[in-house]
Amino acid sequence: MRRALLISLVACLVTIHQARLIDRCDLAKLLHQEDMDGFEGYSLSDWLCLAFVESNFNISKVNENADGSFDYGIFQINSHYWCTDHQSHSENICHLECQELLDPNLLSTIHCAKTIVSGTGGMKNWVAWKMHCSGRPLSYWMTGCHLG
């Protein structure tokens, strides 16, 4: 019993260690610096809500989908359309390796996200944003964040 408990505890710690989380307000500052506030009509609160519902602010999150594609990074950008992971067919619209979407500086992620929202559908390309953020009051996402 003790051994099983120890193994479970170690597995949890390894999982926690692998996650690279960014603080909500630190993300807001970075997005602000990269001119995301108001980009294509979306506020910083929209971006923060998206990051939360897609990855819980986890920069290193990778998720496999039923179709064999993968979602990468804080915004869970899909390999079928936006980046190449050399595991499945990709249109690679953002012209980057999917692994770049896991970089803690987030610049490739931000560049790709701008490409996504500039196209047809905007943020509605993210089903989770459509379900949990669109049309809802989101200003609370910026509570306590000082951009200056």
Side-chain angles (χ1 to χ4, degrees):
M1 178 67 173
R2 278 185 163 186
R3 183 181 171 130
L5 182 60
L6 180 62
I7 290 172
S8 295
L9 179 60
V10 169
C12 287
L13 291 174
V14 168
T15 301
I16 291 168
H17 177 69
Q18 290 175 347
R20 277 188 270 157
L21 304 179
I22 187 170
D23 175 76
R24 174 180 54 87
C25 290
D26 289 342
L27 179 59
K29 286 178 195 173
L30 178 60
L31 294 172
H32 180 72
Q33 290 168 356
E34 295 300 320
D35 299 318
M36 296 293 275
D37 193 15
F39 187 80
E40 295 292 338
Y42 297 102
S43 68
L44 289 179
S45 293
D46 282 303
W47 293 105
L48 294 175
C49 184
L50 174 66
F52 178 76
V53 299
E54 286 289 353
S55 70
N56 203 22
F57 301 115
N58 184 352
I59 295 167
S60 61
K61 183 176 181 184
V62 178
N63 181 58
E64 184 174 5
N65 298 303
D67 67 358
S69 68
F70 290 82
D71 296 333
Y72 289 86
I74 197 162
F75 297 136
Q76 291 293 277
I77 294 174
N78 186 264
S79 64
H80 181 76
Y81 300 103
W82 308 107
C83 62
T84 185
D85 61 5
H86 306 288
Q87 295 181 43
S88 58
H89 169 75
S90 175
E91 295 181 33
N92 198 9
I93 296 169
C94 289
H95 307 291
L96 54 81
E97 299 281 332
C98 295
Q99 287 297 314
E100 293 176 59
L101 298 170
L102 305 177
D103 190 318
N105 76 21
L106 295 175
L107 297 180
S108 294
T109 298
I110 290 169
H111 174 72
C112 188
K114 284 182 173 182
T115 299
I116 294 168
V117 299
S118 295
T120 305
M123 275 199 167
K124 290 180 182 170
N125 283 296
W126 284 278
V127 174
W129 179 85
K130 211 169 26 175
M131 291 174 49
H132 302 288
C133 307
S134 179
R136 297 176 188 234
L138 300 175
S139 60
Y140 64 89
W141 284 106
M142 292 297 297
T143 301
C145 298
H146 305 287
L147 303 178

